Amino acid sequence: MPRFDVTIAGELNLDLILYGLPEQLEPERELLADRMTLTLGSSSAIVAHNLAALGSRVGFQSRIGNDPLGRTSLERLQESGVDVSKVRVISGATTTGLTVILYHEQWRNILTYAGTIAEVMWDDLDLHYLSDSRHFHFSSYYLQKSLRPRVAELFQYLKSKGLSVSLDTNDDPDDRWEGGLHDVLRHVDIFLPNEREACKAAGSEDLEDAVRSLSQLVSVVVVKRGRKGAIAQRGSERFTAPSREVVAVDPVGAGDSFDAGFLHEYIRGADLQTCLISGNLAGALSTTRPGGTEAFRDAEHRKKFLGR
Ligand SMILES: Nc1ncnc2c1ncn2[C@@H]1O[C@H](COP(=O)(O)OP(=O)(O)O)[C@@H](O)[C@H]1O
Ligand SMILES: [Mg+2]
């Protein structure tokens, strides 16, 4: 039996979230937030953290800087039970990345200093470690600039070792959706975009069109639709599941938490409907606390919400 259920190679950093800022960010003024949270961020790390919180065995590879933000991210990830022994701490000019999220009444700003996120590279990977697993997940395709050119090769290798592979690109900050994505998708078993990302990845404005064309490339296309829940397409089969109604604090990391909930069931051989329900439940749980992992860290809250 492999050592891990899921291995992940990706970015590791914190999110700094400020709530209650004025609608207008006037230059040169001191503007006050009324609450703040410094929490584990980054899609790859949120998926890993929440999979471990759900009870999966997770191995994680990354690169961080030799700095306080890097150390705090690593501690947070480790607390959930993820194996972080292969995370490399590199002293140098590039420090650990950081995302700052500014909440206003109607909208938010998301500002990212990529730092080490863009510098996780092939040489940081231990292929033997990554392949000692049933499944491999990759997130933040467009932020991981150093690794991106070799992602297709990485997927091909891991599949040859018997792993299944999932991908959540998340957004492309350049909004170009290039970089060989379609070639990469040919080696993916489960693609997990949100609605907007599905359309962008397919180059279509119509979601149904997008799902149709993506499902020609990937065996299972799962589209996350916020409060509308999620759908999955496998060949000509369609699965649909509504979201769980909650009082949401913020949607940060909901998509990554959905990935964790979905994959936790998928690797146990569950049918796609069960995977969707589990994804929606995990996504909804994530919105009940700030950031993407706070609701999963609180074991009592998590168990009560999930009913187990
Ligand atoms: N307000 C909400 N209420 C309940 N569930 C939600 C809410 N927002 C998100 N979710 C759940 O989280 C999943 C992912 O959220 P979504 O916003 O679609 O993805 P992303 O964070 O990648 O943009 C949704 O499919 C849904 O299951
Ligand atoms: Mg997402």
Side-chain angles (χ1 to χ4, degrees):
M1 175 150 113
R3 178 175 173 198
F4 297 112
D5 295 316
V6 181
T7 45
I8 296 176
E11 80 293 9
L12 173 56
N13 60 266
L14 298 177
D15 279 349
L16 174 65
I17 312 174
L18 302 181
Y19 298 92
L21 286 164
E23 278 302 287
Q24 299 297 328
L25 294 184
E26 236 182 283
E28 307 297 335
R29 294 291 321 283
E30 175 138 3
L31 308 169
L32 296 181
D34 60 15
R35 272 178 310 133
M36 78 93 142
T37 302
L38 182 64
T39 185
L40 185 65
S42 59
S43 179
S44 301
I46 294 172
V47 176
H49 180 284
N50 293 348
L51 267 168
L54 292 173
S56 283
R57 298 166 304 149
V58 185
F60 190 83
Q61 287 213 281
S62 186
R63 154 191 291 245
I64 51 174
N66 188 7
D67 48 65
L69 292 181
R71 280 190 285 279
T72 307
S73 329
L74 193 61
E75 271 166 31
R76 277 296 176 90
L77 187 58
Q78 189 167 24
E79 278 167 18
S80 69
V82 172
D83 181 78
V84 299
S85 59
K86 292 285 180 179
V87 173
R88 295 180 76 189
V89 181
I90 307 286
S91 302
T94 311
T95 54
T96 306
L98 178 71
T99 292
V100 179
I101 302 170
L102 309 178
Y103 265 89
H104 314 273
E105 286 278 308
Q106 302 294 334
W107 57 286
R108 53 190 175 150
N109 296 103
I110 303 174
L111 314 168
T112 290
Y113 160 65
T116 48
I117 298 171
E119 294 190 2
V120 179
M121 55 190 73
W122 187 266
D123 288 347
D124 292 332
L125 305 184
D126 178 336
L127 295 181
H128 182 71
Y129 176 90
L130 291 179
S131 53
D132 197 0
S133 175
R134 295 154 73 182
H135 183 86
F136 177 75
H137 176 75
F138 195 81
S139 276
S140 303
Y141 184 70
Y142 290 101
L143 289 180
Q144 299 206 56
K145 289 208 156 80
S146 300
L147 214 43
R148 195 176 66 202
R150 295 186 73 176
V151 166
E153 185 184 342
L154 178 62
F155 287 1
Q156 242 173 321
Y157 173 81
L158 293 168
K159 285 185 69 74
S160 78
K161 296 291 172 189
L163 285 78
S164 48
V165 168
S166 53
L167 172 71
D168 181 351
T169 55
N170 283 299
D171 198 15
D172 173 10
D174 297 330
D175 209 20
R176 298 222 304 265
W177 296 87
E178 292 162 355
L181 180 62
H182 285 205
D183 293 332
V184 167
L185 284 174
R186 290 179 201 286
H187 307 292
V188 170
D189 299 293
I190 311 157
F191 181 39
L192 295 147
N194 67 18
E195 270 180 308
R196 179 179 178 278
E197 292 153 2
C199 290
K200 289 285 182 174
S204 163
E205 291 191 355
D206 179 68
L207 183 64
E208 282 305 321
D209 261 2
V211 171
R212 204 172 311 120
S213 74
L214 291 170
S215 66
Q216 319 253 304
L217 299 171
V218 188
S219 350
V220 181
V221 179
V222 178
V223 182
K224 295 168 278 187
R225 311 184 68 200
R227 274 157 59 176
K228 287 177 280 179
I231 57 171
Q233 187 79 27
R234 181 175 57 198
S236 58
E237 282 179 288
R238 167 64 59 91
F239 304 82
T240 306
S243 73
R244 162 71 80 92
E245 233 177 274
V246 284
V247 180
V249 174
D250 78 40
V252 176
D256 310 317
S257 302
F258 177 100
D259 298 351
F262 185 98
L263 295 174
H264 182 69
E265 288 297 336
Y266 181 85
I267 54 171
R268 282 165 180 74
D271 55 72
L272 288 181
Q273 191 65 34
T274 304
C275 297
L276 282 184
I277 292 168
S278 172
N280 280 333
L281 201 55
L285 169 60
S286 159
T287 69
T288 62
R289 292 280 165 88
T293 57
E294 295 297 330
F296 287 78
R297 280 179 85 203
D298 180 341
E300 205 176 314
H301 174 67
R302 183 187 74 230
K303 286 178 187 158
K304 195 167 159 213
F305 189 92
L306 299 175
R308 62 181 136 99

